[in-house]
Amino acid sequence: MVLEIIVYAALIFALFYVCDNELSRRYYVPLKVVCSASFLGIFLVNNWFSEKLTWMLWALIACFVGDLLMGLYNTYSRKQFMALGIIAFMLGHVGFLNYMCRITNKTNVLIYILPIIPCLMLIYLKKQFKLHMGSLYLPCFIYTYFVSTMTLKAIECGLNGMPGLAIAGILFLLSDFTILFLYFYHYRSKTNKRIGHFVNLATYYAAIFVFMINI
C-alpha cells in the first residue's frame, strides 16, 4: 500500500506540473488518463476477489470516463465534453451512494431531502458570482443534488463508525464546489485560477483514494 500511495501521489504531482500552462495541451489529457487508470488499478489489485468489485467497479469506471471528458474539456473547451463529463460523474456518485446503501442497514430519509439546500445555494452562487453556466446550468443543478446526496450518505456512514467514508464524501463535495469557480467564473488572475485547479485536482483524487481504502 505504501508503494501504491507513492506512485499515486507522484502521478498527481505530475498532473499539477502540466495543468494550465504551455504543457497542458499536449500532456494534460494523457496524464489525467494515467492518474485515473491508477485508481482503477489500485482498486482492482486490492479487491479482485471481493464482492465489492461488482458493487464499486462501475462507479470508478464512470469516474474514469468523467476524468477523460473533463480533461478534453480543459484542453479543447468544448461544452459537449463537460456535459458528458457531468453525466459520467453523476453516475459515479450514484454508484458510491449505491455502495454505501448496501453496506448499511438503513438510510435516513433526510439524506434525500436536505440536498435541496445545496441546490438552492447553487442558484444563489450563480447570481452572486455571475457564474457563466449557460446550457450547463440544468445539468449542474441535477448533479448538485446527487453529489450532495452521496456526501450526506457518506457523513451518515461516518457517524456510524466509518469516518473514512465521511472524509471522502466531504472531499468530493469540495472538489465539485471548486469546479463551479474553475470553469464558470472569470478569474482576473491566472495564478488564482491555477491554484483553484490544484485544489480541485487534489481534493478529487484524495477523495477517490480515501474512499477506496475505506470500502
Side-chain angles (χ1 to χ4, degrees):
M1 181 59 73
V2 173
L3 179 61
E4 292 173 351
I5 293 173
I6 292 172
V7 172
Y8 190 73
L11 289 171
I12 306 309
F13 279 114
L15 189 61
F16 285 173
Y17 184 73
V18 303
C19 77
D20 297 324
N21 57 31
E22 67 277 1
L23 299 173
S24 182
R25 193 170 185 87
R26 186 173 182 179
Y27 296 109
Y28 185 79
V29 173
L31 261 175
K32 198 127 176 34
V33 170
V34 172
C35 288
S36 302
S38 70
F39 68 62
L40 274 175
I42 290 170
F43 174 76
L44 289 172
V45 167
N46 290 283
N47 295 278
W48 187 255
F49 298 105
S50 170
E51 184 181 24
K52 297 170 185 176
L53 181 69
T54 55
W55 292 356
M56 280 290 300
L57 184 59
W58 65 276
L60 292 173
I61 290 174
C63 288
F64 173 85
V65 173
D67 280 341
L68 172 61
L69 290 164
M70 294 303 287
L72 290 170
Y73 173 80
N74 191 73
T75 303
Y76 301 107
S77 299
R78 295 180 182 175
K79 284 190 176 181
Q80 297 94 323
F81 289 136
M82 179 173 276
L84 291 171
I86 289 171
I87 294 171
F89 279 124
M90 185 171 68
L91 290 173
H93 290 313
V94 169
F96 295 141
L97 176 64
N98 172 67
Y99 168 77
M100 289 184 287
C101 288
R102 280 176 176 266
I103 64 171
T104 52
N105 293 324
K106 60 181 181 178
T107 300
N108 193 306
V109 68
L110 289 176
I111 284 171
Y112 300 104
I113 297 173
L114 291 179
I116 294 172
I117 297 174
C119 290
L120 295 175
M121 288 177 62
L122 177 64
I123 297 172
Y124 170 78
L125 290 171
K126 181 178 182 297
K127 293 180 179 179
Q128 182 69 20
F129 294 96
K130 297 181 172 61
L131 301 179
H132 299 271
M133 306 177 80
S135 59
L136 294 173
Y137 176 57
L138 182 58
C140 286
F141 188 88
I142 296 170
Y143 178 84
T144 298
Y145 175 83
F146 283 102
V147 70
S148 300
T149 303
M150 182 278 299
T151 300
L152 287 172
K153 179 60 183 178
I155 292 172
E156 182 185 60
C157 288
L159 294 173
N160 286 281
M162 293 173 276
L165 294 181
I167 293 170
I170 292 169
L171 286 171
F172 271 126
L173 190 64
L174 288 174
S175 174
D176 289 320
F177 179 76
T178 60
I179 281 182
L180 284 177
F181 293 91
L182 182 62
Y183 294 118
F184 302 123
Y185 180 72
H186 288 292
Y187 285 89
R188 295 181 181 179
S189 167
K190 289 184 178 180
T191 300
N192 289 341
K193 183 175 182 180
R194 198 173 189 207
I195 291 172
H197 204 163
F198 288 167
V199 173
N200 170 255
L201 293 172
T203 51
Y204 169 71
Y205 283 108
I208 289 278
F209 192 81
V210 173
F211 201 101
M212 287 193 304
I213 65 175
N214 283 277
I215 61 175

